[in-house]
């Protein structure tokens, strides 16, 4: 009788940084510009990083074919998209549905932030603070200073900064327009997400943590548990991935870290060409993983900013390899590119052409000047 043989499962395939780069860029719409609408893109990307008002527009310019900034601005004005504190307890631009659906899922990072200010909130009833905040900002949108002064009338001995942080953590608030509109401005004024949208969170599609993981992988994968947690600002989500494991593929990176992915998600050939892309500060793709080497080479880690100043990033052959900024001299927009590694002649030409296209769409300047130079000294 023949001896029984036991088959062992083949080890997961190893994905190189370049393979991960191309897969992530494809899902981030950065390998080729997508024809999808701005609203669909914001949905697909699960929001746009929006600490400042202009970056969401530049993020979409880098990703969408024939993008007009007024398209996103129109979504903001019609309240189909909003700026609100969500993932990692930072400002993002989300569709209205996601702004409502993500609220319970992003509670944990806000709770952690709140704990850091508890010493300034001694004697403050947090439930009452949430109620006072809601009533005050729903009467009409309020600047943060007005909200802080109102809260101090109820808790005069509390720390003013702690009160305003607590209000933002306890109540899902939006920055109302005209703040965030293209070509316009306005001070920060806050009201609740539900009041601004005129509907409750119960009216939005249900979004579970499992759903969020799957959407994350669709926009940022293949990715590890730690990658997801870094993106969402959550902890202890390993059990979610274990629950989803039968529906997912698994890989390893070159360091042996397990990566999860959707079976039908694109994983292009690592040699797929990646054209230059000008990204704003705090772009999604730069912040969406715990291990960012799939986009930011180790040698360039931390080099897209200095101190509190962050600059735009240029992807060259898919990786962060240059910085950019725009200055104005009258009607002339001057875009300076500071390379972190000497580009080839072809890459230099492609960078210049992409810069000129961006200035044409994203500025009102009548003249454009693209220069290669140095504006950031890393030796200080």
């Amino acid at each position: 009788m023949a001896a029984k043989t036991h088959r062992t499962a083949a080890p997961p395939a190893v994905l190189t940084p370049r393979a991960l780069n191309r897969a992530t860029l494809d899902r981030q719409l950065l390998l080729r510009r997508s024809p999808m609408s701005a609203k669909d893109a914001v949905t697909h990307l699960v929001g746009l990083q929006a600490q400042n008002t202009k970056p969401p527009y530049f993020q979409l310019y880098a990703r969408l074919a024939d993008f007009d900034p007024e398209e996103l601005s129109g979504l903001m004005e019609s309240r189909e998209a909003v700026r609100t504190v969500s993932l990692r307890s930072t400002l993002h631009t989300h569709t209205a549905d996601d702004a409502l659906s993500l609220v319970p899922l992003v509670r944990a990072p806000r709770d952690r932030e709140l704990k850091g200010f508890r010493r300034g909130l001694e004697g403050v009833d947090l439930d009452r603070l949430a109620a006072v905040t809601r009533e005050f900002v729903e009467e009409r949108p309020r600047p943060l200073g007005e909200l802080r002064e109102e809260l101090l009338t109820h808790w005069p001995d509390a720390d003013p900064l702690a009160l305003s942080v607590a209000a933002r953590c306890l109540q899902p608030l939006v920055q109302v327009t005209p703040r965030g509109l293209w070509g316009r401005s306005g001070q920060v004024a806050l009201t609740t997400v539900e009041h601004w949208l005129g509907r409750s969170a119960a009216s939005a599609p249900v979004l579970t943590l499992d759903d969020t993981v799957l959407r994350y992988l669709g926009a940022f994968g293949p990715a590890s548990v730690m990658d997801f947690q870094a993106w969402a600002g959550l902890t202890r989500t390993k059990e979610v991935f274990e629950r989803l494991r039968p529906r997912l593929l698994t890989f390893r990176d070159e360091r042996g870290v397990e990566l999860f992915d959707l079976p039908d998600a694109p994983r292009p050939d690592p040699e797929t060409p990646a054209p230059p892309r000008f990204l704003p500060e705090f772009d999604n793709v730069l912040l969406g993983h715990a291990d960012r080497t799939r986009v930011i080479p180790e040698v360039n880690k931390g080099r897209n900013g200095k101190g509190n100043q962050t600059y735009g990033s240029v992807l060259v052959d898919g990786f962060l390899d240059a910085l950019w900024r725009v200055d104005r001299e009258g009607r002339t927009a001057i875009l300076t590119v500071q390379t972190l590694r000497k580009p080839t002649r072809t890459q230099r030409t492609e960078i210049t052409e992409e810069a000129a296209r961006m200035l044409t769409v994203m500025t009102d300047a009548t003249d454009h000047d693209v220069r290669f130079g140095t504006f950031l000294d890393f030796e200080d």
Side-chain angles (χ1 to χ4, degrees):
M1 185 174 181
K4 292 183 178 180
T5 59
H6 297 277
R7 294 183 179 179
T8 57
V14 174
L15 298 178
T16 65
R18 193 174 183 87
L20 288 171
N21 175 271
R22 293 312 195 252
T24 303
L25 293 188
D26 198 337
R27 298 171 209 198
Q28 283 285 309
L29 316 179
L30 289 167
L31 271 188
R32 63 197 66 82
R33 284 186 165 91
S34 169
M36 70 173 58
S37 68
K39 185 175 182 179
D40 287 346
V42 175
T43 301
H44 169 71
L45 297 168
V46 204
L48 304 171
Q49 195 84 12
Q51 282 102 316
N52 296 326
T53 58
K54 290 185 179 179
Y57 294 91
F58 283 87
Q59 289 178 67
L60 291 183
Y61 169 78
R63 290 165 166 85
L64 300 183
D66 303 318
F67 174 66
D68 182 347
E70 290 296 341
E71 185 181 0
L72 177 59
S73 193
L75 293 175
M76 300 282 293
E77 200 160 24
S78 65
R79 308 189 190 188
E80 295 176 77
V82 296
R83 298 178 73 233
T84 185
V85 173
S86 60
L87 305 164
R88 302 182 300 281
S89 198
T90 57
L91 269 170
H92 280 71
T93 295
H94 287 291
T95 63
D97 278 347
D98 276 353
L100 293 168
S101 299
L102 283 167
V103 166
L105 298 180
V106 298
R107 177 82 55 195
R110 281 192 271 188
D111 288 344
R112 286 197 304 272
E113 185 178 7
L114 182 58
K115 285 182 180 179
F117 289 86
R118 291 304 290 267
R119 292 184 63 180
L121 296 168
E122 291 182 8
V124 176
D125 182 328
L126 295 182
D127 288 337
R128 183 169 169 242
L129 188 150
V132 168
T133 298
R134 186 180 189 101
E135 181 179 0
F136 189 63
V137 300
E138 287 189 350
E139 182 181 359
R140 62 177 173 83
R142 305 283 187 166
L144 186 58
E146 281 188 23
L147 174 58
R148 184 184 298 120
E149 290 302 315
E150 173 66 17
L151 296 176
L152 281 170
T153 66
H154 297 268
W155 297 279
D157 296 327
D159 176 67
L161 176 60
L163 284 174
S164 56
V165 170
R168 181 174 63 82
C169 290
L170 293 169
Q171 283 289 357
L173 303 176
V174 297
Q175 293 189 3
V176 306
T177 55
R179 183 76 172 178
L181 297 182
W182 184 251
R184 283 169 276 177
S185 187
Q187 67 174 335
V188 175
L190 306 167
T191 190
T192 64
V193 174
E194 293 186 334
H195 184 72
W196 184 245
L197 297 179
R199 56 193 178 100
S200 70
S203 70
V206 175
L207 185 65
T208 67
L209 191 52
D210 289 28
D211 297 330
T212 307
V213 167
L214 296 174
R215 287 182 61 185
Y216 169 76
L217 292 176
F220 292 87
S224 69
V225 175
M226 293 299 292
D227 287 331
F228 172 75
Q229 291 182 169
W231 169 80
L234 300 174
T235 59
R236 301 177 182 178
T237 64
K238 185 176 181 179
E239 65 179 30
V240 181
F241 282 82
E242 291 302 324
R243 185 164 59 244
L244 292 171
R245 184 181 289 274
R247 300 169 55 183
L248 303 174
L249 296 181
T250 58
F251 301 90
R252 296 274 175 183
D253 67 15
E254 290 186 334
R255 301 176 185 179
V257 175
E258 186 174 37
L259 306 171
F260 295 84
D261 204 8
L262 305 177
D264 58 351
R267 287 176 290 278
D269 186 309
E271 297 308 313
T272 302
R277 290 290 184 259
F278 281 74
L279 305 179
E281 64 270 29
F282 312 120
D283 190 276
N284 283 14
V285 76
L286 302 175
L287 301 172
H289 303 86
D291 180 359
R292 299 172 182 173
T293 55
R294 69 179 67 199
V295 179
I296 305 176
E298 197 66 42
V299 68
N300 289 334
K301 181 180 179 181
R303 300 188 81 187
N304 60 334
K306 191 170 184 180
N308 294 325
Q309 180 66 55
T310 301
Y311 294 93
S313 300
V314 186
L315 300 187
V316 182
D317 189 28
F319 293 89
L320 170 62
D321 239 346
L323 310 176
W324 66 276
R325 76 175 189 185
V326 174
D327 299 293
R328 291 293 292 262
E329 290 184 2
R331 298 293 295 171
T332 300
I334 302 170
L335 190 152
T336 303
V337 177
Q338 178 173 338
T339 58
L340 303 177
R341 182 182 61 176
K342 186 176 180 179
T344 66
R345 181 177 297 179
T346 298
Q347 288 172 339
R348 188 181 177 101
T349 298
E350 291 175 342
I351 290 169
T352 302
E353 291 174 347
E354 176 62 18
R357 283 192 293 268
M358 182 178 69
L359 291 175
T360 299
V361 176
M362 302 298 289
T363 75
D364 61 356
T366 55
D367 297 302
H368 309 136
D369 185 0
V370 179
R371 305 173 180 177
F372 287 79
T374 300
F375 54 82
L376 189 59
D377 184 357
F378 293 107
E379 302 304 320
D380 288 348

